[in-house]
Amino acid sequence: MIKSRIFTLIEGVARTADASYHNGHISHSRQRAFARALTRFQMGEKNGGGRVRIDPFVFNYPDPKAFSYNFGEVFLQEEYFFISDQDSPVIVDCGANIGLATLYFKKVYPESQIIAIEANPATFETLVKNVSDNGLAEVETINIAVTGGDETEV
């Protein structure tokens, strides 16, 4: 078990160090710091929700495994990166979950206006807490489901 966790640590840091750094918005040194912090988090991973500081953010999370996976996707692989011709784009984060992408967008575009939409009431509470605990301005959180049809009830 401990050997497996050590290999996870080594692989995580190596993967980040070797990753193609495709946009320049989060510096390579910051990505490495995120990877080290995430790996330390994974080494101490426990069941149930909690709170972790990975500078410059504080993250509240309901599920450590989901947090680890999603953090890597959002902050290390920068899956949500886009180029805007404005310094303050309006971003709609549909299915905002606990707000990882919302925090990422604020890191990349600090002057952006974000509408973060999350349907699940328990997840929405964590989203609101993450926005509040990180002092994010110009973020509106909405607890509603979004569909592609005319439905008004689920």
Side-chain angles (χ1 to χ4, degrees), residues 96-130:
N97 197 271
I98 65 169
L100 295 180
T102 300
L103 291 166
Y104 171 79
F105 293 140
K106 276 301 199 178
K107 176 76 176 157
V108 175
Y109 295 108
E111 302 301 316
S112 64
Q113 296 177 9
I114 300 174
I115 301 167
I117 303 168
E118 175 52 46
N120 181 294
T123 305
F124 179 77
E125 285 181 30
T126 306
L127 165 65
V128 170
K129 187 150 181 57
N130 281 330

Side-chain angles (χ1 to χ4, degrees), residues 13-116:
V13 172
R15 212 175 18 254
T16 300
D18 294 338
S20 63
Y21 162 66
H22 58 271
N23 69 42
H25 277 86
I26 294 182
S27 71
H28 190 63
S29 62
R30 173 56 70 187
Q31 283 185 329
R32 290 176 61 105
F34 279 155
R36 285 190 300 273
L38 180 60
T39 302
R40 283 192 301 276
F41 169 79
Q42 290 169 335
M43 296 289 284
E45 198 172 280
K46 61 184 190 311
N47 293 324
R51 179 179 170 103
V52 64
R53 172 173 285 286
I54 301 177
D55 282 331
F57 299 116
V58 172
F59 299 95
N60 299 283
Y61 58 89
D63 177 339
K65 287 182 176 48
F67 172 79
S68 294
Y69 176 82
N70 292 328
F71 182 91
E73 182 179 71
V74 173
F75 283 93
L76 301 178
Q77 298 168 15
E78 296 191 78
E79 293 291 328
Y80 294 92
F81 174 73
F82 68 94
I83 296 173
S84 175
D85 58 355
Q86 301 175 13
D87 290 336
S88 57
V90 175
I91 301 167
V92 179
D93 186 0
C94 258
N97 197 271
I98 65 169
L100 295 180
T102 300
L103 291 166
Y104 171 79
F105 293 140
K106 276 301 199 178
K107 176 76 176 157
V108 175
Y109 295 108
E111 302 301 316
S112 64
Q113 296 177 9
I114 300 174
I115 301 167

